[in-house]
Amino acid sequence: MKLGDVMGYARANLKRHKLRTFLTMGGVAVGIGALVTLLSLAIGLQDVATQNLKSEELVTRINVLSRSQRAKFMGRRSSGVAPEDTGPPLNDEAIASFNQIDGVLVAYPAAMANLTAEVAERVTNLQLEGIPTKALTESYQDALVSGSYWDAEVTGNVCVLPSGLVEDIGLDPEWVVGKEVLVSELRAFFKYKSEETEELGPDGKPERRLVRPTDLETETLHVLGVYDSDRFNRGGAVAHAPHETVTKLSKRFPFGFGGGPKEDDAEEGTYPVVVVKVGDVTKIEAINGEIKKLGFATITINDILQVIGIFFVVVKLILGFFGSIGLVVAIFGIANTMVMAVIERTREIGVLKALGARNRDVRRLFLAEACTIGFGGGLMGVGGGWLIGAVLNAAAAFFFKEQLGGESYAFFQLSSWLILGAIGIATFVAAVAGIYPAARAARLDPVESLRVE
Amino acid sequence: MALLELVDVRRSYRFGDAEVRALDGVSFEIESGSFVGVIGRSGSGKSTLLNILGGLDRPTSGHVKVEGAVLSTSSSDKLAAYRREVVGFVFQSFNLIPHLTSLENVALPLALQGVSKAERSERATKLLEKVGLAKRMGHKPTELSGGERQRVAIARALVNEPHLLLCDEPTGNLDSKTADEIMGMLTALNREGRTVILVTHDREQANRYSKRLLILADGKLEEDLRLDGPDAPAVAPPPSPTVNPGPAPAGEEPGA
Ligand SMILES: Nc1ncnc2c1ncn2[C@@H]1O[C@H](COP(=O)(O)OP(=O)(O)OP(=O)(O)O)[C@@H](O)[C@H]1O
Ligand SMILES: [Mg+2]
């Protein structure tokens, strides 16, 4: 019997028992729907967790640590670095050697300043990241909301603010360009006082004003532009400034509330972290390899993505396990339906055999029925899982917008692998459920079967 | 060579210690193109015999040979192929598949042979026209009369161009006029060269249509009558059930 005829016969039989078929498919659909919903949640969460890590800015960046620094950072045991194995010092000489590697845009010591900033009578915490002019790739320019970045000519005490911060303090990104930011040490935040003014606010109470302490040491930065902070680090508040400026500011206004020099056992003239900026993403692994060969430890975004990937494999396995419980129940449903069908159609099986059907033809007919149920249930389940995810995504979007005033994430995401896999699994599981009933049908004795009323 | 040859065929059913012998040592040959009637009381083993001849059942012991080849020990796939290619069954209770139309029922054996859909429906249509059911192609069995159902069943039995037609009381559920029509059809098919074996309760019907009559009693072949022409005297069967077996193949069991 040809496969097409087998499938047609199976479909016709299922159509005759629409309700029963639908209910059995429903059992499969519930199982597959649960599985799809849970796995699409895992996919969505992984995407949410990693989407900011895939920006061009991050994937073209290698963070180089001295081996001793890495050991401190990761813990000696897990880093696999022996205490005496310190590796070469991460100093200017090392940076020069990185700059010589083909494909490296620029290598520079990571520079961060954590400051208090006053802009347009508002005081806020401000993190400044130092970026060499050479490292300002197109992705920086693309992310600009207003103004511009510095260049070889326009440099010095300038900065580009993140849109998240600008909006948080209630300023307009266009307006703020060209304004001045007064930066001071981090703990200066608590030295600002707020006092009442003569003027009355809209609520009838006197307006309040921030008063800068008179003896505060400050430095002035010019705002050159505002960049879309979602592009680099969603919701982040890291402002960009020229590397030399940030280096200078971090020395003048050291981190921490203690005020004293930062505790650091690093040798004189070495850096904890050096950033190697690569021009072409495809070269990153090769360059990473060369830096490692020089004896340094590195961290790229791929290392982090890998760890996250492993974590999510575990998450998917766990969710998949719980999602599969419904499928196990569905197996029993299919097996039950198929056993019933075999019993009901015993005489028909006898006729088929009298007409020359081989045992394997009969087995195929019933397996085809089971698989069709599984396939149909799989389709319904994927549709249902998609629908649940879409509804929950919409609900999340509504909640984020109404309650938090921000953008939402797609927490539930289907991949084509998940869709095909789920339908495939449903069909396969149904075939497994159909094995026993189909074998039973195939084994029936034709004479006995024809005797059945 | 005989189309069919039975050598000491036995078929028994066991119920604990008790044993029912549905066939108890039956031996005979059937020539190609003959019209053989099988009669006997209810429970004498007629249907059992027909099922064994049609490869639906296997003897407990003894042999069935088809054109010299041993059928009774063939694999179930070989038996299925034999039923598909050589045999057409017509049952007393029609055994049509209730959810298929007349056309689909008739075409079903061809589907089992892997014949294409277009050819299937062409051949099935021709046969339904031949049995006078051109207007009933799309009807389900429940929408047909008994005689119409049996004609569909005959069309189905013929669609694979079988050489051997096995009919188990084909007119048992029909009135006498319809029965005559069906018998006329079987006679015509026999004239076309097909071998027909007809199980019936009706001694008169058997006498009228068959050229040879096998009479079963308690699973044994009681009589084997030749009815060649209206004037020919009934030929008595040989005294022993061991009919001249011809050149016996090596390894064959001796007759009981
Ligand atoms: N599956 C079975 N189990 C037990 N006994 C059986 C079975 N099939 C047939 N028999 C027995 O074998 C004997 C012959 O049965 P068979 O059906 O061949 O008779 P039959 O001559 O066709 O009778 P009828 O004219 O009533 O159809 C009967 O006694 C019957 O009870
Ligand atoms: Mg019978």
Side-chain angles (χ1 to χ4, degrees):
Chain A
M1 208 170 174
K2 283 189 186 147
L3 187 63
D5 292 328
V6 171
M7 300 302 294
Y9 198 91
R11 259 201 310 278
N13 270 316
L14 291 173
K15 266 192 200 154
R16 284 192 300 125
H17 301 283
K18 287 204 181 64
L19 182 63
R20 185 208 283 173
T21 302
F22 178 77
L23 291 176
T24 313
M25 280 185 179
V28 180
V30 169
I32 289 292
L35 190 65
V36 166
T37 307
L38 288 175
L39 289 182
S40 70
L41 177 63
I43 293 174
L45 288 179
Q46 181 168 11
D47 186 60
V48 168
T50 57
Q51 62 182 353
N52 298 318
L53 301 179
K54 287 177 182 158
S55 68
E56 209 252 314
E57 203 273 318
L58 286 178
V59 295
T60 55
R61 182 180 176 133
I62 301 169
N63 289 313
V64 185
L65 310 172
S66 73
R67 302 242 299 225
S68 58
Q69 188 68 29
R70 181 177 168 87
K72 216 174 86 184
F73 179 61
M74 303 277 286
R76 282 190 199 285
R77 196 179 288 266
S78 63
S79 68
V81 177
E84 64 278 4
D85 178 16
T86 52
L90 195 54
N91 52 19
D92 289 329
E93 202 181 315
I95 292 176
S97 67
F98 301 153
N99 271 319
Q100 267 159 21
I101 298 174
D102 191 35
V104 169
L105 220 49
V106 57
Y108 57 95
M112 266 290 184
N114 208 346
L115 307 165
T116 296
E118 180 191 337
V119 54
E121 297 192 355
R122 290 156 171 88
V123 175
T124 178
N125 168 251
L126 183 73
Q127 269 182 292
L128 265 187
E129 185 189 354
I131 302 168
T133 311
K134 263 189 174 176
L136 288 176
T137 51
E138 238 164 69
S139 60
Y140 283 88
Q141 311 292 346
D142 286 349
L144 276 172
V145 175
S146 62
S148 60
Y149 270 92
W150 61 92
D151 53 30
E153 272 120 59
V154 184
T155 182
N157 274 6
V158 295
C159 66
V160 174
L161 298 175
S163 61
L165 176 83
V166 173
E167 281 158 21
D168 276 353
I169 59 178
L171 296 179
D172 177 62
E174 300 285 347
W175 180 86
V176 83
V177 175
K179 299 290 177 294
E180 288 183 349
V181 180
L182 225 55
V183 295
S184 49
E185 61 175 334
L186 184 61
R187 58 181 172 173
F189 188 80
F190 300 101
K191 294 181 181 165
Y192 276 87
K193 297 257 162 11
S194 133
E195 61 173 37
E196 289 181 8
T197 61
E198 322 264 280
E199 291 155 42
L200 293 184
D203 52 358
K205 286 180 189 154
E207 290 257 26
R208 301 188 75 83
R209 189 179 61 173
L210 281 166
V211 180
R212 185 185 323 135
T214 46
D215 59 342
L216 192 66
E217 283 188 48
T218 62
E219 195 136 348
T220 307
L221 300 180
H222 290 272
V223 179
L224 283 182
V226 175
Y227 76 87
D228 179 2
S229 43
D230 284 350
R231 292 282 285 274
F232 286 150
N233 42 353
R234 190 182 267 261
V238 180
H240 297 159
H243 192 258
E244 318 79 57
T245 310
V246 176
T247 311
K248 182 182 75 184
L249 287 172
S250 68
K251 282 198 182 112
R252 184 163 173 204
F253 305 119
F255 283 24
F257 291 91
K262 225 165 40 111
E263 178 209 344
D264 199 343
D265 56 6
E267 283 171 59
E268 195 62 30
T270 70
Y271 305 103
V273 180
V274 165
V275 177
V276 174
K277 181 81 179 163
V278 175
D280 180 357
V281 190
T282 57
K283 292 202 179 123
I284 190 140
E285 284 309 323
I287 293 169
N288 190 27
E290 284 197 47
I291 296 172
K292 278 185 175 162
K293 236 186 272 164
L294 292 174
F296 296 98
T298 62
I299 301 174
T300 65
I301 206 68
N302 286 343
D303 298 331
I304 295 166
L305 285 174
Q306 231 168 35
V307 173
I308 295 176
I310 291 169
F311 171 74
F312 273 97
V313 165
V314 175
V315 169
K316 283 172 194 167
L317 282 177
I318 292 171
L319 291 182
F321 173 78
F322 285 108
S324 312
I325 292 173
L327 269 188
V328 174
V329 178
I331 288 186
F332 287 101
I334 295 174
N336 178 54
T337 296
M338 293 313 298
V339 167
M340 296 246 300
V342 171
I343 291 171
E344 270 177 11
R345 302 210 320 256
T346 300
R347 194 181 174 94
E348 178 182 328
I349 294 164
V351 174
L352 284 170
K353 287 195 164 184
L355 297 179
R358 294 167 301 181
N359 292 356
R360 105 178 63 131
D361 293 322
V362 174
R363 180 166 41 232
R364 275 188 203 153
L365 282 177
F366 283 90
L367 274 182
E369 274 190 41
C371 287
T372 307
I373 291 176
F375 182 80
L379 280 183
M380 284 163 61
V382 168
W386 171 80
L387 197 69
I388 293 172
V391 167
L392 291 177
N393 277 342
F398 179 79
F399 177 79
F400 270 68
K401 198 164 190 179
E402 294 294 306
Q403 306 289 317
L404 306 174
E407 255 184 86
S408 177
Y409 304 92
F411 289 108
F412 295 85
Q413 290 180 24
L414 283 179
S415 73
S416 49
W417 277 113
L418 179 56
I419 294 171
L420 294 179
I423 294 172
I425 283 175
T427 311
F428 174 76
V429 156
V432 170
I435 286 175
Y436 167 72
R440 194 170 142 166
R443 266 204 315 270
L444 280 176
D445 179 70
V447 177
E448 298 291 334
S449 314
L450 283 170
R451 217 185 280 277
V452 170
E453 278 313 310
Chain B
M1 188 186 297
L3 172 65
L4 288 170
E5 183 185 350
L6 274 71
V7 183
D8 192 29
V9 167
R10 290 162 196 272
R11 179 69 170 99
S12 52
Y13 295 95
R14 240 169 225 298
F15 296 97
D17 289 341
E19 189 185 43
V20 177
R21 294 182 184 179
L23 286 180
D24 194 7
V26 176
S27 303
F28 60 84
E29 291 183 8
I30 288 176
E31 300 303 322
S32 182
S34 54
F35 195 124
V36 182
V38 180
I39 60 171
R41 289 225 192 112
S42 185
S44 56
K46 304 184 295 294
S47 297
T48 306
L49 177 66
L50 214 59
N51 289 337
I52 284 175
L53 289 176
L56 264 186
D57 199 4
R58 285 197 179 90
T60 315
S61 70
H63 292 284
V64 178
K65 292 190 202 164
V66 180
E67 293 187 323
V70 179
L71 180 74
S72 38
T73 53
S74 298
S75 68
S76 66
D77 276 3
K78 280 233 176 80
L79 287 180
Y82 169 68
R83 298 193 295 264
R84 221 165 38 236
E85 314 287 344
V86 182
V87 182
F89 275 104
V90 181
F91 303 94
Q92 176 178 0
S93 50
F94 321 128
N95 277 334
L96 297 175
I97 294 186
H99 49 87
L100 298 183
T101 63
S102 305
L103 190 69
E104 289 165 340
N105 262 296
V106 175
L108 188 54
L110 296 179
L112 293 171
Q113 284 185 353
V115 173
S116 77
K117 198 161 187 170
E119 188 186 337
R120 262 168 17 214
S121 99
E122 188 191 314
R123 282 167 66 177
T125 305
K126 256 189 206 147
L127 274 169
L128 280 167
E129 283 165 357
K130 188 172 170 184
V131 298
L133 288 176
K135 290 194 177 134
R136 296 281 183 274
M137 308 248 193
H139 289 239
K140 301 256 170 90
T142 46
E143 299 155 6
L144 300 173
S145 74
E148 288 169 335
R149 286 185 211 182
Q150 197 58 299
R151 282 188 278 165
V152 173
I154 290 176
R156 181 180 67 182
L158 293 175
V159 78
N160 59 340
E161 301 280 334
H163 191 68
L164 180 61
L165 263 181
L166 301 175
C167 310
D168 196 349
E169 304 189 39
T171 60
N173 285 349
L174 306 174
D175 64 66
S176 62
K177 187 168 167 289
T178 318
D180 286 345
E181 277 172 32
I182 297 289
M183 289 313 300
M185 243 174 234
L186 292 179
T187 311
L189 290 167
N190 178 242
R191 284 207 201 96
E192 286 174 12
R194 296 181 212 281
T195 310
V196 177
I197 302 180
L198 169 74
V199 168
T200 176
H201 265 116
D202 185 344
R203 173 84 195 232
E204 199 231 330
Q205 185 185 58
N207 277 333
R208 180 135 56 102
Y209 294 99
S210 23
K211 296 174 200 156
R212 182 179 171 193
L213 194 57
L214 301 177
I215 301 172
L216 288 182
D218 289 335
K220 291 193 168 68
L221 184 60
E222 203 178 57
E223 277 186 277
D224 184 349
L225 306 174
R226 308 268 165 178
L227 312 169
D228 289 326
D231 301 328
V235 178
S240 148
T242 323
V243 193
N244 174 20
E252 197 185 326
E253 290 171 39

